[in-house]
Amino acid sequence: MKRPSVVLGSVLLGVPVLIALAGPLLAGSVQSAAAPLQPPGADFPLGTDVLGRDVLALALSGGASIVALTGASLLLSYLVGVPLALLVANRWADGVLVRVLDFLLALPGLLVLMVLAAAGWRGAVTLALAIALLQLPAVVRLVRSAALAPGCRAAVEAMTMQGEPWWRIHLGYVGRCALGPVLVDAGTRLSLVLYLLASANFLGLGLAPSASDWAVLVERNKEALFLQPLAVLVPAGLLVSLCTGINLLLDHALARRDEV
């Protein structure tokens, strides 16, 4: 029998993902079609936003970009950060890497995005690469800490004395030791990436401020929260559902892993 948290997490994650995948097929063309900030009615079930667009159509069409950009940024940061931390831990390059990461860690994320926007570096690809780079120091530090933990180091020394291959020790055993912290970090880092995406899109670094992206909609309509709350609460609710669902499922996966 499935735990309630698994069912709840599956529902919370499945709804925004399903909307992100199938919503654009149902939304049709999202254009300025009415007066701004209209309340819900027969023509617009969720009302209109500050630009006079149908909030329902925006919610249906705005999930694909945020899900794709968030997934790409997180995946790229871990694909680069995890092997990098495992390969340099306890080696001569470890100190050099830590110093470089300290410099990157000191850079404010929003300031970096603003500089890129001012320099003309825009677009979804640039946005995903920039956010992945901003997450890299924290990811490398996390995996490096797991790799240098006393229990892990003792096991590595024992496997080295037994003649185990280097790749099996560091990429196999140490990688498994770091898997739990990486999964926990990915669930919490998702919220930070969503925040950076929303801010960057509103600054014009990635998507235009008039895009139907959920994160952009929250930022664009926040001043009208009390005039047309659904224009903010609907996309914000979908983002919260996405984050909560992922975290619940990751917590369950970690609990099952500890039981085995």
Side-chain angles (χ1 to χ4, degrees), residues 3 62 78:
R3 296 180 180 179
Y78 287 108

Side-chain angles (χ1 to χ4, degrees), residues 150-229:
C152 185
R153 292 181 64 181
V156 168
E157 292 175 0
M159 295 176 70
T160 303
M161 294 178 62
Q162 293 174 2
E164 294 288 345
W166 179 89
W167 63 267
R168 180 176 295 176
I169 296 174
H170 290 272
L171 300 181
Y173 177 78
V174 179
R176 288 197 303 271
C177 290
L179 180 60
V182 166
L183 291 177
V184 174
D185 180 70
T188 55
R189 193 164 301 281
L190 179 66
S191 301
L192 177 59
V193 170
L194 286 173
Y195 166 74
L196 288 175
L197 283 171
S199 303
N201 286 333
F202 191 71
L203 290 171
L205 174 59
L207 305 176
S210 60
S212 60
D213 182 274
W214 291 341
V216 177
L217 293 178
V218 174
E219 186 70 26
R220 184 72 176 180
N221 293 283
K222 65 181 182 181
E223 302 297 336
L225 175 61
F226 296 103
L227 296 175
Q228 220 302 51

Side-chain angles (χ1 to χ4, degrees), residues 68-191:
L69 285 174
T70 301
S73 300
L74 279 176
L75 183 63
L76 183 60
S77 64
Y78 287 108
L79 284 178
V80 175
V82 172
L84 185 62
L86 294 177
L87 291 173
V88 302
N90 274 329
R91 291 179 167 266
W92 66 268
D94 189 40
V96 177
L97 177 64
V98 171
R99 299 288 81 80
V100 174
L101 294 178
D102 286 342
F103 172 75
L104 291 177
L105 196 61
L107 297 176
L110 283 179
L111 179 60
V112 172
L113 297 179
M114 290 176 67
V115 171
L116 289 175
W121 291 85
R122 305 168 185 272
V125 175
T126 301
L127 181 58
L129 290 175
I131 292 181
L133 181 62
L134 290 172
Q135 306 311 306
L136 190 61
V139 172
V140 172
R141 280 177 169 273
L142 176 75
V143 178
R144 179 176 175 273
S145 297
L148 296 178
C152 185
R153 292 181 64 181
V156 168
E157 292 175 0
M159 295 176 70
T160 303
M161 294 178 62
Q162 293 174 2
E164 294 288 345
W166 179 89
W167 63 267
R168 180 176 295 176
I169 296 174
H170 290 272
L171 300 181
Y173 177 78
V174 179
R176 288 197 303 271
C177 290
L179 180 60
V182 166
L183 291 177
V184 174
D185 180 70
T188 55
R189 193 164 301 281
L190 179 66
S191 301

